[in-house]
């Protein structure tokens, strides 16, 4: 099962929108989604502080940065 990481922080309304978009995306196969709070990892906070939400594909470390286009999101999740 493909694994993805959604970089977030609390509170983050855009992160909630991103999560909703991911859950609403129709996929051919299920994916595993892990939520990562960047505020708990200073190195991630330094790198992604103002970029979140960011979706990372574990297989190749590819990143999809906000805003997520629905079609691009679906393609990213199925690659």
């Amino acid at each position: 099962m493909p694994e993805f990481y959604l970089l977030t922080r609390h509170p983050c309304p855009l992160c909630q929108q991103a999560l909703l978009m991911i859950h609403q995306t129709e996929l051919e196969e299920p994916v595993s989604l892990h939520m990562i709070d960047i505020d708990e990892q200073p190195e991630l906070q330094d790198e992604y502080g103002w970029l979140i939400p960011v979706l990372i594909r574990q297989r190749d470390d590819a990143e999809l940065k906000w805003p997520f286009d629905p079609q691009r999101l679906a393609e990213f999740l199925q690659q």
Side-chain angles (χ1 to χ4, degrees):
M1 176 179 309
E3 294 194 38
F4 293 85
Y5 299 90
L6 182 61
L7 302 183
T8 67
R9 68 177 353 149
H10 183 75
C12 176
L14 295 178
C15 299
Q16 293 301 317
Q17 286 181 322
L19 184 60
L20 182 63
M21 286 182 72
I22 293 167
H23 283 292
Q24 290 176 339
T25 302
E26 292 187 28
L27 301 173
E28 294 175 11
E29 66 176 273
V31 299
S32 177
L33 181 65
H34 307 277
M35 306 290 287
I36 306 293
D37 184 341
I38 66 167
D39 290 330
E40 295 176 3
Q41 299 184 34
E43 66 279 359
L44 292 178
Q45 189 175 15
D46 290 343
E47 186 173 350
Y48 294 101
W50 297 105
L51 299 175
I52 59 158
V54 175
L55 185 61
I56 299 175
R57 187 172 45 223
Q58 188 257 348
R59 176 177 50 83
D60 58 3
D61 288 330
E63 298 179 355
L64 183 63
K65 295 185 174 115
W66 187 260
F68 298 165
D69 172 82
Q71 182 175 347
R72 177 70 184 114
L73 176 62
E75 291 169 0
F76 186 81
L77 290 167
Q78 295 180 94
Q79 290 179 346

